Amino acid sequence: MKVVLRNLTKKFPGRDKKNKVDVIAVNDFDFEIPDGKLIGLLGPSGCGKSTTLNLISGLEKPTSGQVFFGEEDVTGLPPEHRGIGLVFQNYALYPHLTVRQNILFPLENLKGKDKLSKAEMLEKAMDAARLVQIDELMERRPGELSGGQQQRVAIARALVKRPRVLLLDEPLSNLDARLRLQTREEIKRIQKETGITTIFVTHDQEEAMSISDMIVVMKDGMVQQIGRPQEVYDSPANLFVAKFLGTPPVNVFEGQVKDGWLTIGKDAVLPVKGAAEGPVYAGIRPEGFLLRKGGAFGCELSGVEVMGRDISVVCANSASLSPAIRAIIGSENMAEVSMDARQVRFDLKPGKVFLFDRKTEERIEFDASAISRL
Ligand code: ADP
Ligand code: MG
């Protein structure tokens, strides 16, 4: 089921006694969520992710605008008539009911023509439990399950009525790192198997990037960028998006475009054909540095960090906005650095360098294909 948001806005009255300015939690959202895909709503805490989800579920009413499921305008429909499944961070299971009873619960409330026989209900509950692989645990109570298992029960309960749209609000936040990794793969698998349009809210960029077909990056109630995760990573619309995606984060420098070159400090580091002359922010992804003896860009070496497979060269530069610059270097390239050196020099991969306007922080395009030797 396709989900369409049309000029969707939600304002909350200001809570501050002196300052009664409205909070615009969701500001004019206008986009389509394609049928059968998994979409990640991604942004820092307070950017309006839960509010967006609540507008789609019907738990909140919009100040203006509409929500469509397919061609149907559902803006006026209460949540129970929208055909949605909801999963929250805190599982929200009934502690005194068994797993089976928890999963059966939504079915037992069906009325009229939707009413099912006991046998039908049990079969559907078992199907949902098998899908999330908890069919062995049906007689336990939530208190006898791990966090990951509890969240699977919550997902089974959300799926048992075969919702048109599955909505998940930070479903993995209560799980430890290993379970989080495992459960997010599970969610991806379940989504693929069922083909149910799924909207997944998270503040964790890695989580959103790893499982989403499409991500919506948000800040302060505004959509910043929509696209496939790799597209957004490779081609961020603005400095915020560039900084929000990627670990280690993008390195940001104050730079200048001068005579067709990006200049950082005294170094002309990269030709940037097509970019207007003047001050810019330059973002360089950690994997965009190549250690070279006579490289264009000099930094002071602070140390080397080995993190499993990756080697980060940590260095400093007075034009950098943060004290530590991290460059991820392939081990074959490490021979180029002598650990007693005070300085390291890099060439830059043009596709990993972004320019941003100093005022608007919007991305400035340049012709990266002009450089052939890298
Ligand atoms: P997120 O889920 O991205 O952390 P929310 O959607 O919960 O963000 O909140 C977005 C903004 O709306 C925040 O500034 C929050 O304080 C505000 N907000 C959310 N719910 C309410 C409410 N019921 N009343 C007033 N303000 C709210
Ligand atoms: Mg939230």
Side-chain angles (χ1 to χ4, degrees), residues 5 26 29 31 41 48-57 218:
L5 311 186
V26 173
F29 279 19
F31 57 84
L41 299 183
K49 302 180 297 294
S50 295
T51 306
T52 307
L53 212 68
N54 294 343
L55 291 170
I56 296 169
S57 71
M218 301 166 53

Side-chain angles (χ1 to χ4, degrees), residues 183-244:
T183 314
R184 83 183 187 205
E185 294 312 318
E186 278 288 283
I187 289 175
K188 182 78 195 164
R189 175 187 64 78
I190 293 162
Q191 195 276 324
K192 274 228 178 82
E193 259 180 65
T194 60
I196 294 173
T197 308
T198 299
I199 306 174
F200 183 100
V201 161
T202 177
H203 63 272
D204 181 331
Q205 57 93 22
E206 199 193 324
E207 202 168 282
M209 299 266 288
S210 66
I211 66 166
S212 309
D213 297 308
M214 178 175 122
I215 55 173
V216 179
V217 185
M218 301 166 53
K219 180 195 171 203
D220 298 338
M222 308 269 276
V223 171
Q224 304 294 305
Q225 191 168 2
I226 301 177
R228 286 191 288 124
Q230 196 65 43
E231 273 168 19
V232 179
Y233 182 79
D234 290 337
S235 216
N238 58 41
L239 183 59
F240 172 82
V241 174
K243 281 160 79 172
F244 201 74

Side-chain angles (χ1 to χ4, degrees), residues 12-13 15 23 25 43-52 60 169-170 201:
F12 291 110
R15 274 178 279 193
V23 176
S45 174
C47 73
K49 302 180 297 294
S50 295
T51 306
T52 307
E60 294 274 11
D169 194 346
E170 311 249 10
V201 161

Side-chain angles (χ1 to χ4, degrees), residues 353-372:
V353 178
F354 312 124
L355 303 183
F356 303 97
D357 186 288
R358 283 267 183 103
K359 285 203 190 73
T360 63
E361 301 191 353
E362 296 292 311
R363 170 113 171 274
I364 301 167
E365 301 277 349
F366 64 91
D367 184 3
S369 66
I371 311 114
S372 54

Side-chain angles (χ1 to χ4, degrees), residues 99 103-104 107 121-135 138 152-163 189-190 193-194:
V99 168
I103 300 173
L104 280 171
L107 299 177
M121 283 195 272
L122 286 171
E123 195 183 317
K124 279 183 189 287
M126 203 56 199
D127 285 345
R130 265 192 225 108
L131 186 63
V132 303
Q133 298 173 343
I134 47 159
D135 43 313
M138 293 301 254
R152 283 167 195 253
V153 178
I155 294 168
R157 187 180 58 180
L159 288 171
V160 73
K161 280 205 282 184
R162 287 281 148 166
R189 175 187 64 78
I190 293 162
E193 259 180 65
T194 60

Side-chain angles (χ1 to χ4, degrees), residues 82-308:
R82 290 193 186 193
I84 47 153
L86 278 171
V87 177
F88 298 102
Q89 173 177 346
N90 60 6
Y91 325 132
L93 299 174
Y94 302 105
H96 58 286
L97 300 184
T98 63
V99 168
R100 186 189 309 280
Q101 289 165 330
N102 266 285
I103 300 173
L104 280 171
F105 197 83
L107 299 177
E108 283 168 340
N109 285 329
L110 293 174
K111 306 236 159 54
K113 65 172 173 46
D114 295 329
K115 205 167 158 52
L116 299 172
S117 73
K118 190 80 196 169
E120 286 170 321
M121 283 195 272
L122 286 171
E123 195 183 317
K124 279 183 189 287
M126 203 56 199
D127 285 345
R130 265 192 225 108
L131 186 63
V132 303
Q133 298 173 343
I134 47 159
D135 43 313
E136 314 264 288
L137 307 172
M138 293 301 254
E139 305 316 321
R140 297 218 198 155
R141 281 173 218 284
E144 299 163 333
L145 301 177
S146 72
Q149 290 168 331
Q150 288 185 56
Q151 196 54 301
R152 283 167 195 253
V153 178
I155 294 168
R157 187 180 58 180
L159 288 171
V160 73
K161 280 205 282 184
R162 287 281 148 166
R164 300 199 283 178
V165 182
L166 180 63
L167 305 169
L168 306 144
D169 194 346
E170 311 249 10
L172 310 179
S173 297
N174 280 4
L175 306 179
D176 65 44
R178 185 184 293 265
L179 259 180
R180 216 159 43 226
L181 216 67
Q182 194 188 343
T183 314
R184 83 183 187 205
E185 294 312 318
E186 278 288 283
I187 289 175
K188 182 78 195 164
R189 175 187 64 78
I190 293 162
Q191 195 276 324
K192 274 228 178 82
E193 259 180 65
T194 60
I196 294 173
T197 308
T198 299
I199 306 174
F200 183 100
V201 161
T202 177
H203 63 272
D204 181 331
Q205 57 93 22
E206 199 193 324
E207 202 168 282
M209 299 266 288
S210 66
I211 66 166
S212 309
D213 297 308
M214 178 175 122
I215 55 173
V216 179
V217 185
M218 301 166 53
K219 180 195 171 203
D220 298 338
M222 308 269 276
V223 171
Q224 304 294 305
Q225 191 168 2
I226 301 177
R228 286 191 288 124
Q230 196 65 43
E231 273 168 19
V232 179
Y233 182 79
D234 290 337
S235 216
N238 58 41
L239 183 59
F240 172 82
V241 174
K243 281 160 79 172
F244 201 74
L245 300 186
T247 38
V250 71
N251 300 287
V252 186
F253 302 85
E254 285 181 344
Q256 305 279 333
V257 175
K258 225 164 30 192
D259 305 326
W261 282 75
L262 168 63
T263 316
I264 298 175
K266 289 197 297 292
D267 295 333
V269 299
L270 191 74
V272 287
K273 208 174 136 205
E277 307 270 306
V280 290
Y281 288 121
I284 307 175
R285 293 269 183 225
E287 67 277 24
F289 295 88
L290 289 163
L291 274 173
R292 290 271 166 82
K293 282 219 171 69
F297 186 22
C299 294
E300 288 98 63
L301 181 64
S302 331
V304 171
E305 286 173 359
V306 181
M307 301 271 283

